[in-house]
Amino acid sequence: MDLIARLRAGLPGEAILTDPDVTGSYANDMASFCEAGTPAVVVLPRTVEQVQHVMRTATELRVPVVPQGARTGLSGAANASDGCIVLSLVKMDRIIEINPVDRIAVVEPGVVNAVLSRAVNEHGLYYPPDPSSWEQCSIGGNIGTASGGLCCVKYGVTAEYVLGLDVVLADGRLLSCGRRTAKGVAGYDLTRLFVGSEGSLGIVVRAVLALRPEPPQQLVLAAEFPSTAAACEAVCEIMARGHAPSLLELMDRTSVRAVNAMAQMGLPDTTEALLLAAFDTPDPAADLAAVGALCTAAGATEVVPAETAAESDLLLQARRLTLTALERVKSATMIDDVCVPRSRLAEMLDGTAAIADKYDLTIGVVAHAGDGNTHPTVCFDADDPDESRRARESFDAIMALGLRLGGTITGEHGVGVLKKEWLARELGPVGLELQRGIKDVFDPLGILNPGKLF
Amino acid sequence: MDLIARLRAGLPGEAILTDPDVTGSYANDMASFCEAGTPAVVVLPRTVEQVQHVMRTATELRVPVVPQGARTGLSGAANASDGCIVLSLVKMDRIIEINPVDRIAVVEPGVVNAVLSRAVNEHGLYYPPDPSSWEQCSIGGNIGTASGGLCCVKYGVTAEYVLGLDVVLADGRLLSCGRRTAKGVAGYDLTRLFVGSEGSLGIVVRAVLALRPEPPQQLVLAAEFPSTAAACEAVCEIMARGHAPSLLELMDRTSVRAVNAMAQMGLPDTTEALLLAAFDTPDPAADLAAVGALCTAAGATEVVPAETAAESDLLLQARRLTLTALERVKSATMIDDVCVPRSRLAEMLDGTAAIADKYDLTIGVVAHAGDGNTHPTVCFDADDPDESRRARESFDAIMALGLRLGGTITGEHGVGVLKKEWLARELGPVGLELQRGIKDVFDPLGILNPGKLF
C-alpha cells in the first residue's frame, strides 16, 4: 500500500494535500540560503490520534517527517526534504484552558502567539515570549525553535514558559512529560529537551505554558549615541546598576536609516546608535529618568523619554519594522543571531562593522542589547554571485567572531539547515556525540526532520 | 593493580580516605528509610583533572561512583553503594568569578549556597535558590537535586539559574555545555538535563550561574486561619489577583505547635493554619496591606504585618525551624515533597489530614503554598515496627494523593532511593523508557550513582 493510501486510512480527505502546486508552497520557512526538497504530501491533522496515525505510517514506511508551524522560522528548520511528509500543525489551534489561579494555559501547537497573548490578557495574565513574528508564528513553532523576542531581557525565553508537553514520538506513541505544577523534579527534564529540538525528537501536540500577571503598560525611552560602543557602555551600566528594563534594544545607523527610508518615522538619521529602553514597573517614569542619566553619562547626545503609551508604541513600531526595512536595502538579506555576554557587546558590534568593511557589504545591526543578542543583517544582491559569496562569508565571519567572544551562534533563531556546521563547532566533538546519542534514543530510524541540527 | 593504588596514581594522598571509620561517615545523606552501602574509598579531589582521573579509573575497573556534595539531601541520592567510590566535591569550593555586568557567577561545585549568596550580595547581586539547608548545602548538590526553597514562588528553582556546566563524563572526558550568555539555543539543552539528574549522568565540576539584582529587603505578614482550606483560599486569591509575593508559606497547627514547643516563638498555638506572605517590592507595606485584606476576606481571624525587618526575620526564623521542630515530636520523621497545582492545595491538605487520621499518626505540614509544594512530615517512633510500617504507608498514600490531584511526587527534593518506585508511576512506561535511554547514552557501563532514580 502506498504512502497516501496509508495516510488516508486515518485522516480525513481534506487533511491530506497532494497537489504539487499546493504542497510546493509548504517547502520553506523564511530562511535564506537554505536548501529545501519537494514534499511527497502535506498533512494537516486536527487531533492527537491523527498525528499518531501519521507517525505510525511514517515509521512503517520509513518516510521522513518534517513538522511545521507557521513557517516563520529563520534557519530552515521547517524546510521540506525530498519525499517527506510535511506535518503541519496549524489546524490544531485550540486554547484548551486558561487558569488564573495556577497561572497556566494549556494549548495545542497551532495556536498563534498573538492569539494566545490576547486571550490571556483578558484574564489579567501575560505570556511574555514575543518573537518579531508574533502575529503569525505558532506556539508549537516557538517551542520547536526556542524563540525569544524583545521581552527576554526581563522575562526570559520560550523555554522558561514550557512546563509540560504531550509529544507524539517517532513510532506514534504518546508521551506526557513535565507538569502543570509550579515546581517538579521527577527525573530528567524531558520537557526542556524538546524545547528547541526543531521537531527532531517528537511532535508536540499539547503544551502547558506558565503565565505571569500582566505588568503595567511599559514606557519607552530613546537615546542617541555617537558610537555603538558608547551605547553598549550604557547597556552595561544599566544592567550592572541592577535596573530591570522590560526591553533594551539597539539599532545601528544602517537600521535607523532603513526604517526612515521605508516608513518616514522621523528617527534621528545622523545618530550612530539608537538605544531603546523600556520599563513596565510601577513608576516607569522614575526608572526612565535614572536610565536616561546613565545614557547621558555614557555619552548620549540626546535622551528622549516617551511621555505617553502612544509615543512608546511608535518607538517600538520603528524597532519592529527594522528587519522588513533592511530587506529593502538590497534584493536579499541574511539575518544572523549571535549572542555574546553583554560585557562583550561593544566588541561584537565593532567587529561586525569591521567585517562589513572587509567584505564591502552593508550589514545593518539590530540587537536585543540587554541580552547581548545581535541580529547583524547582511544586505546583498542575490543576482550578483560575488556579492552573494561575500554575504555568506561575512555571515560565517560574524559567527566566528561571536564564538571568539564567548558567545553562541544562535541566541533565539535556532540551527535548522542554516547553521548545522556551526553547531558542530560550538558544541565540540564530545557535546555533538552526546546530542546524537539523544537523537538516536528518541528517533532510532532517523525519520524526524532529518538533515536538521546535525 | 587494585582500586586504591590506581587512584593514588592521580590523586594526592590526603585526597584519598580508606579508614572504614572515616569512610563510613560518608555513607548517607539526610534521608530516612533509605538503604546505604559501604564505600570502598572516599576521594576528595581539588581539580578537574583529579575528577577525570577518578572517573577514568572507575571506568577501567567498572567501579560505581557516588558523587556527593554536603549530603544534606532528603532522598538518599547521595547514599553510598557497596564497594563504590564516594566522590566528594566539597574541596572544589572556589568562586571563580562574579560578573555584575553579565550578571553571572562561575563556581566550583563545592561552594556552599550561603557563601555564594553572601559573596554576590557584596556586588549588589542576588542568587535566589535558598533550600532550608542553605547554610550547609553545596551548589553542586543543589544542581544535582534541582533544589528549591522559600523564594521559588517569585524567583523559581535552581534549574532556572544554571546557564552552563562543565561536566566530567563517566569515561573521564570533559564536556562543556550551555553558555555564559543571557540566551542561547544551540542544540539540545544538555545543561538542563544535568540539573536534577542526581549525579547519574556526569560529575559537575564547574557551573555558570545566572544572578539577579538584589531586591529590596522583604517584609513579612502573618495571617491566622480557622482551617487550612481557608488559608489555601487566600493563597489562590493572592495569586489569581496577580500579586508577586517573594514568599508564601503555610504552617499547619502541628507545625506551629512544634515550633512553639521547641523555641517558644509565641506563634498562635490555637490557629489551624498560619500563612506567611512576604514582598520585596518597592512598597512592601502597600502590598502587604492588599494581601492582608484578601486574607481577611478568606476568613483569617488575625492578620499581622511585620513593621520592621527584625519582625520579618523572626517570622522567617520560625518557618525555617519547622522541620527541626517536627523532628522532636517523635524519634523519627519522614519528610514528603508533593507538589500539586495550587488550585488543588486545599484538597491536598485535607487529604493529608485524612491520611494522618487513617494511619493514626502525627503528620505536620509545612508548605511552599504559593507553589502548591507541600512537605507533609510524618512523625513516628522508629522503635515501634507497626508505627514505622504505618509511617511508610502514609508516606506513600500522600504521594498517591498528589498524583491523583495532578501533581508530582517531588517538587524539589528529588527521587534518589526514596522515591524510585514512585518515579516509575509518575513517568509511566514510555517516559521511563526514554529516561533510561538517556542514561545509557551518558553512562553505558552504569557506573554513575547506580540504583538511584530508576
Side-chain angles (χ1 to χ4, degrees):
Chain A
M1 203 193 285
D2 82 335
L3 172 63
I4 308 300
R6 197 74 76 98
L7 288 170
R8 280 195 209 287
L11 287 168
E14 72 271 16
I16 303 177
L17 309 179
T18 55
D19 178 347
D21 288 346
V22 178
T23 58
S25 70
Y26 286 81
N28 286 86
D29 64 18
M30 290 177 63
S32 315
F33 275 104
C34 290
E35 65 200 28
T38 305
V41 58
V42 173
V43 295
L44 294 147
R46 288 182 181 270
T47 68
V48 173
E49 292 69 26
Q50 289 173 2
V51 175
Q52 291 184 280
H53 173 73
V54 172
M55 293 313 303
R56 273 189 222 108
T57 304
T59 287
E60 283 167 27
L61 302 181
R62 307 287 194 271
V63 179
V65 174
V66 177
Q68 287 185 349
R71 291 186 290 118
T72 52
L74 294 166
S75 68
N79 281 11
S81 48
D82 281 331
C84 77
I85 302 170
V86 162
L87 173 51
S88 172
L89 282 310
V90 294
K91 300 285 189 196
M92 292 180 70
D93 62 352
R94 287 185 310 146
I95 296 174
I96 298 165
E97 181 185 351
I98 295 172
N99 186 322
V101 171
D102 293 331
R103 288 186 186 165
I104 59 169
V106 182
V107 303
E108 291 185 332
V111 173
V112 170
N113 182 300
V115 171
L116 176 65
S117 293
R118 292 187 187 116
V120 307
N121 286 165
E122 287 177 23
H123 296 265
L125 292 164
Y126 176 43
Y127 178 69
D130 62 343
S132 297
S133 57
W134 74 299
E135 293 278 7
Q136 288 86 42
C137 63
S138 69
I139 296 296
N142 294 170
I143 292 170
T145 57
S147 310
L150 302 188
C151 73
C152 302
V153 65
K154 182 164 182 179
Y155 295 106
V157 294
T158 297
E160 289 164 67
Y161 294 88
V162 184
L163 298 178
L165 292 173
D166 284 359
V167 179
V168 174
L169 299 174
D171 59 12
R173 289 186 298 172
L174 184 63
L175 168 74
S176 284
C177 60
R179 53 187 214 271
R180 54 179 286 148
T181 52
K183 290 149 86 181
V185 293
Y188 305 140
D189 192 342
L190 297 188
T191 307
R192 190 63 167 245
L193 205 52
F194 285 109
V195 179
S197 67
E198 302 185 350
S200 67
L201 300 178
I203 311 294
V204 170
V205 291
R206 210 182 70 123
V208 182
L209 303 173
L211 304 173
R212 301 178 63 102
E214 198 176 4
Q217 174 77 40
Q218 65 183 359
L219 222 50
V220 183
L221 165 149
E224 297 173 36
F225 288 87
S227 68
T228 54
C232 292
E233 191 189 323
V235 168
C236 290
E237 273 299 300
I238 290 167
M239 299 306 281
R241 298 289 182 102
H243 291 287
S246 50
L247 171 153
L248 190 50
E249 298 285 316
L250 183 149
M251 295 168 68
D252 74 352
R253 185 178 51 169
T254 304
S255 301
V256 167
R257 290 186 175 184
V259 171
N260 274 345
M262 182 176 77
Q264 292 82 43
M265 309 270 307
L267 298 178
D269 248 3
T270 56
T271 196
E272 287 296 318
L274 187 68
L275 195 66
L276 301 178
F279 285 85
D280 59 4
T281 45
D283 188 358
D287 288 308
L288 288 186
V291 159
L294 292 176
C295 288
T296 302
T301 50
E302 184 119 34
V303 174
V304 185
E307 287 177 357
T308 64
E311 282 176 34
S312 292
D313 283 346
L314 202 67
L315 285 167
L316 289 187
Q317 201 186 326
R319 163 61 188 84
R320 287 199 180 270
L321 283 175
T322 310
L323 295 182
T324 310
L326 286 170
E327 283 168 5
R328 298 185 170 208
V329 172
K330 290 262 188 167
S331 75
T333 55
M334 286 189 80
I335 174 169
D336 218 325
D337 173 40
V338 171
C339 189
V340 295
R342 74 174 68 85
S343 58
R344 314 299 296 272
L345 188 60
E347 291 164 82
M348 184 69 210
L349 294 178
D350 285 347
T352 301
I355 290 167
D357 278 351
K358 177 179 170 187
Y359 289 95
D360 191 21
L361 289 164
T362 298
I363 302 181
V365 180
V366 64
H368 308 306
D371 293 322
N373 189 185
T374 70
H375 293 311
T377 302
V378 185
C379 307
F380 63 101
D381 179 358
D383 294 328
D384 178 337
D386 185 67
E387 194 163 303
S388 297
R389 176 190 57 74
R390 283 184 280 127
R392 178 76 223 198
E393 285 179 19
S394 70
F395 188 79
D396 287 350
I398 290 167
M399 284 189 279
L401 172 62
L403 290 181
R404 277 202 306 280
L405 293 174
T408 171
I409 58 160
T410 175
E412 56 182 11
H413 292 174
V415 175
V417 177
L418 188 65
K419 297 187 172 181
K420 275 162 65 172
E421 290 159 35
W422 284 91
L423 180 68
R425 286 204 217 188
E426 177 166 338
L427 297 180
V430 179
L432 195 65
E433 179 188 316
L434 292 168
Q435 300 236 350
R436 284 186 193 276
I438 289 169
K439 165 76 172 170
D440 286 343
V441 169
F442 285 82
D443 182 23
L445 300 175
I447 60 171
L448 278 169
N449 214 6
K452 312 295 163 59
L453 276 173
F454 308 120
Chain B
M1 203 194 284
D2 81 336
L3 173 63
I4 308 300
R6 197 74 76 101
L7 289 171
R8 279 194 210 285
L11 287 167
E14 71 272 15
I16 303 177
L17 309 179
T18 55
D19 178 347
D21 288 347
V22 178
T23 58
S25 70
Y26 285 81
N28 286 87
D29 65 18
M30 289 177 65
S32 313
F33 276 103
C34 290
E35 65 200 27
T38 305
V41 57
V42 174
V43 294
L44 294 147
R46 287 182 182 270
T47 69
V48 173
E49 292 68 28
Q50 289 173 2
V51 175
Q52 291 184 280
H53 174 72
V54 172
M55 292 313 304
R56 273 189 221 108
T57 304
T59 286
E60 282 166 26
L61 302 180
R62 307 286 195 272
V63 180
V65 174
V66 177
Q68 287 185 349
R71 291 186 290 116
T72 52
L74 294 166
S75 67
N79 282 10
S81 48
D82 280 331
C84 78
I85 301 170
V86 162
L87 173 51
S88 172
L89 283 309
V90 295
K91 301 285 189 196
M92 292 180 69
D93 63 352
R94 287 185 309 148
I95 297 174
I96 299 166
E97 180 186 352
I98 295 172
N99 186 322
V101 171
D102 293 331
R103 288 187 185 165
I104 59 169
V106 182
V107 303
E108 291 185 333
V111 173
V112 170
N113 182 300
V115 171
L116 175 66
S117 294
R118 291 186 189 117
V120 304
N121 287 165
E122 286 177 25
H123 297 264
L125 293 164
Y126 176 42
Y127 178 70
D130 62 344
S132 298
S133 57
W134 74 300
E135 293 277 7
Q136 289 86 43
C137 64
S138 69
I139 296 296
N142 294 171
I143 292 171
T145 57
S147 309
L150 302 187
C151 72
C152 302
V153 65
K154 182 164 181 178
Y155 295 107
V157 295
T158 297
E160 289 163 66
Y161 294 89
V162 184
L163 297 179
L165 292 173
D166 283 0
V167 179
V168 174
L169 299 174
D171 59 12
R173 288 185 298 170
L174 183 64
L175 169 74
S176 284
C177 60
R179 53 187 214 270
R180 54 178 287 150
T181 51
K183 292 150 86 181
V185 294
Y188 305 140
D189 193 342
L190 298 187
T191 307
R192 189 64 166 245
L193 206 52
F194 285 110
V195 178
S197 67
E198 301 185 351
S200 68
L201 299 179
I203 312 294
V204 170
V205 291
R206 209 182 72 125
V208 182
L209 303 173
L211 304 172
R212 300 178 64 100
E214 197 176 4
Q217 174 78 38
Q218 65 183 358
L219 221 50
V220 182
L221 164 150
E224 299 173 33
F225 287 88
S227 67
T228 53
C232 292
E233 191 190 321
V235 168
C236 289
E237 274 299 300
I238 291 166
M239 299 305 282
R241 298 290 182 101
H243 291 288
S246 50
L247 169 155
L248 191 51
E249 298 285 316
L250 183 150
M251 296 168 68
D252 74 352
R253 186 176 52 170
T254 304
S255 301
V256 167
R257 291 185 173 184
V259 170
N260 274 345
M262 184 176 76
Q264 293 82 43
M265 311 268 310
L267 298 178
D269 249 3
T270 56
T271 195
E272 287 296 319
L274 186 68
L275 196 66
L276 301 178
F279 285 84
D280 58 5
T281 46
D283 188 357
D287 289 307
L288 288 186
V291 159
L294 292 176
C295 288
T296 302
T301 52
E302 185 118 35
V303 174
V304 185
E307 287 177 358
T308 64
E311 282 176 33
S312 291
D313 283 347
L314 202 67
L315 286 167
L316 288 188
Q317 202 185 326
R319 163 62 189 86
R320 287 198 181 269
L321 282 175
T322 310
L323 294 181
T324 311
L326 286 169
E327 282 168 4
R328 298 187 170 206
V329 172
K330 290 263 187 167
S331 74
T333 54
M334 286 188 81
I335 174 169
D336 219 326
D337 173 39
V338 171
C339 190
V340 295
R342 72 174 69 86
S343 58
R344 313 299 295 271
L345 188 60
E347 292 164 81
M348 185 68 211
L349 293 178
D350 285 347
T352 301
I355 289 167
D357 278 351
K358 178 180 170 188
Y359 289 95
D360 192 21
L361 289 164
T362 298
I363 303 181
V365 180
V366 64
H368 307 307
D371 293 322
N373 189 186
T374 70
H375 293 312
T377 302
V378 185
C379 306
F380 63 101
D381 178 357
D383 295 329
D384 178 337
D386 185 67
E387 196 163 301
S388 296
R389 176 189 56 75
R390 282 183 281 127
R392 179 76 223 198
E393 286 179 18
S394 70
F395 187 79
D396 287 349
I398 289 166
M399 284 189 280
L401 172 63
L403 289 182
R404 276 201 307 279
L405 293 174
T408 171
I409 58 161
T410 176
E412 58 182 11
H413 291 173
V415 175
V417 178
L418 189 66
K419 297 187 172 181
K420 274 162 65 171
E421 291 159 34
W422 285 91
L423 180 68
R425 286 204 217 188
E426 177 167 337
L427 297 181
V430 179
L432 195 64
E433 179 187 315
L434 292 168
Q435 301 236 347
R436 284 185 193 279
I438 290 169
K439 165 75 173 168
D440 286 344
V441 169
F442 285 81
D443 182 24
L445 301 175
I447 60 170
L448 278 169
N449 214 5
K452 312 295 162 57
L453 276 174
F454 308 120

